[in-house]
Amino acid sequence: MDRPPPLTVSIERVVPQLPDIRFREPAEWHLREGEQWAVIGPNGSGKTLLAGLLQGRYLLREGAVRFHFGGKTAERVKSIAFRDIHSIADSRNAYYQQRWHATETDGWPTVAELLTGGFPTGTGEELYTRFRMRESLSKKLIHLSSGELRKFLILRTLLSNPKILLLDSPFIGLDGDSRRILTDMLAQLAHLKGLQVILLLSDPADIPDMITHVLPVCDRRLLAPLSRTAFLADTALQTRLFPSGDAPAALPSGEEKTAMHRITFRMERVHVRYAGRTILKDLCWEVKNGEKWALCGPNGSGKTLLLSLIYADNPQSYAQTLYLFDRRRGTGESIWDIKRRIGYVSPEMHLYCMEDIPAADMVCAGFFDSTGLFRRCSDAQKRHALDWMQLFGIAPLKDRSFLTLSSGEQRLVLLARAFVKNPDLLILDEPLHGLDVSNRRRVTRIIDAFCSRRGKTLIYVTHCPDELPACVDRRFELTG
């Protein structure tokens, strides 16, 4: 009988000290040499908790986490998650709009400056070339798009030669080509350098071919591990993890006033440069009241910049010919006059919404377009916010600190925040980031239902065309 491959990691009947970060049963899991794992489950199921155990984040009441290979654990076990941008530089002291203010980015490092030894050579140069990041080396960190940031995080971590690499929702923010390149790179590194990969996923369709084993997680329980082939064939298990769910209840009524403007926005020959690089050139785009558009383009093509002009975050909007709600930008309206009519969610906004406040307060902040709740809400506003949380399936989280929620749960809170004021224009930039299959269906149905209301305009950004809501019937492409 063949001996099994040697163990690399063993989680042995682990129970963390704090009750809030425990599984319902002692955690038990073993990884062996040559295995590539996907940990898959719905939002809030315990995937992030499991990753925290592997990284030694929690004091243990019982059990042990053992690593059966040489070297310091911190150097050999690396993790990448959506919010890790804050660890690259002192970005916790930054604010969301800072990237668009040229005089306030002088202290930010370039990508090359954050790499050991400056510009990469050898293997690093090959990785950056394949991942189409060479042009980004001279960019300041704060000017990278969310997709470029994720690619940089992944590449920098790979260059540290880890033994085990945890990737939390690795494909969010990456265009199709970058997704394929990443999985090919991981497979090659696993074969040539013995890298072991653990992917934390919320969609069976995201499990790449290189994965050999799957650990399902549900309701803070580790279920029985399976081979990749067995998991993908087990439709009953997948339905248990990601039930289809019922259609959402009726949308909260709120204020039913219909927007009567004719043009939601119009851009005429918009031309924007940053750090000597032209990002948008002679761009023209008109969106009429009630239209539903997909905004498409590869990572770094300028989608986030374009949206910043519409949402009044970018001071360069004053130098452009730009109309919002039938009015020329810069003719006396305030930023808050614009923002009160727009519901906005984006990966960049998510990164900077890190307030230690109850989830319900974060939703209420949508009434005032702030990242925290700095004004008192009326009782009617509080009830309305709770109605939206109920619709998004997050009402039980209302008293939890926003910072203690998983990334997927935070995204649902920010979506409720965008809808709560019944906006005339919805700008949803990769709104399904980090959501499990069930929540993606729920959110898509809510978007379609909301956009069926008269006078609602939608701009929807995604790298996955199959995620587009049914209401989207127009497309605007940026080529980069």
Side-chain angles (χ1 to χ4, degrees), residues 306-319:
L306 187 155
L307 297 178
S308 75
L309 298 173
I310 300 170
Y311 194 56
D313 280 331
N314 194 319
Q316 289 209 37
S317 62
Y318 289 101

Side-chain angles (χ1 to χ4, degrees), residues 353-413:
C353 281
M354 286 295 153
E355 298 291 332
D356 187 12
I357 60 175
D361 285 358
M362 183 62 80
V363 176
C364 285
F367 290 115
F368 312 113
D369 304 296
S370 56
T371 55
L373 187 59
F374 308 115
R375 295 167 59 181
R376 184 181 298 276
C377 279
S378 68
D379 290 342
Q381 286 174 321
K382 291 178 182 178
R383 289 193 297 270
H384 190 58
L386 189 58
D387 287 343
W388 276 104
M389 295 185 76
Q390 187 72 42
L391 188 66
F392 280 99
I394 50 174
L397 306 177
K398 63 184 178 67
D399 296 321
R400 287 264 306 274
S401 167
F402 183 77
L403 296 184
T404 68
L405 306 181
S406 71
S407 290
E409 291 168 333
Q410 289 179 349
R411 180 53 57 94
L412 291 169
V413 170

Side-chain angles (χ1 to χ4, degrees), residues 14-25 27 46 48-50 52-53 57-60 220 400 404:
V14 162
V15 178
Q17 281 192 1
L18 296 177
D20 290 345
I21 53 173
R22 292 178 187 170
F23 287 100
R24 296 185 183 275
E25 302 158 354
T48 303
L49 170 56
L50 185 64
L53 292 177
R57 290 182 179 175
Y58 311 126
L59 295 175
L60 303 183
R220 293 210 170 196
R400 287 264 306 274
T404 68

Side-chain angles (χ1 to χ4, degrees), residues 79-229:
S79 172
I80 302 172
F82 172 72
R83 63 190 75 179
D84 284 342
I85 174 59
H86 290 302
S87 67
I88 301 176
D90 190 20
S91 57
R92 287 193 184 276
N93 295 324
Y95 59 93
Y96 169 61
Q97 297 94 340
Q98 185 175 354
R99 65 186 300 191
W100 310 122
H101 293 256
T103 59
E104 298 181 35
T105 62
D106 292 343
W108 282 78
T110 65
V111 171
E113 289 169 346
L114 289 167
L115 298 173
T116 302
F119 282 79
T121 58
T123 302
E125 184 177 24
E126 179 184 352
L127 289 176
Y128 269 73
T129 299
R130 289 192 59 199
F131 224 16
R132 300 177 185 175
M133 284 288 288
R134 287 197 57 80
E135 288 188 3
S136 300
L137 289 169
S138 59
K139 286 186 181 180
K140 291 186 178 182
L141 182 70
I142 198 170
H143 288 152
L144 297 184
S145 70
S146 60
E148 289 173 317
L149 280 170
R150 289 192 63 84
K151 290 198 288 187
F152 168 70
L153 278 169
I154 292 167
L155 292 176
R156 191 180 70 158
T157 303
L158 288 174
L159 291 174
S160 70
N161 195 32
K163 169 63 179 174
I164 294 177
L165 178 61
L166 292 110
L167 289 166
D168 188 351
S169 301
F171 304 120
I172 63 174
L174 301 185
D175 55 43
D177 286 344
S178 296
R179 291 184 182 211
R180 288 187 290 272
I181 291 169
L182 174 58
T183 54
D184 288 346
M185 285 167 45
L186 293 175
Q188 288 185 22
L189 290 169
H191 177 69
L192 296 174
K193 295 193 174 185
L195 174 71
Q196 269 191 286
V197 172
I198 302 172
L199 306 183
L200 308 185
L201 302 174
S202 299
D203 187 344
D206 284 339
I207 302 177
D209 293 342
M210 66 167 294
I211 293 299
T212 61
H213 294 73
V214 175
L215 177 66
V217 183
C218 186
D219 192 26
R220 293 210 170 196
R221 287 186 173 89
L222 304 183
L223 307 185
L226 299 90
S227 70
R228 177 183 183 275
T229 302

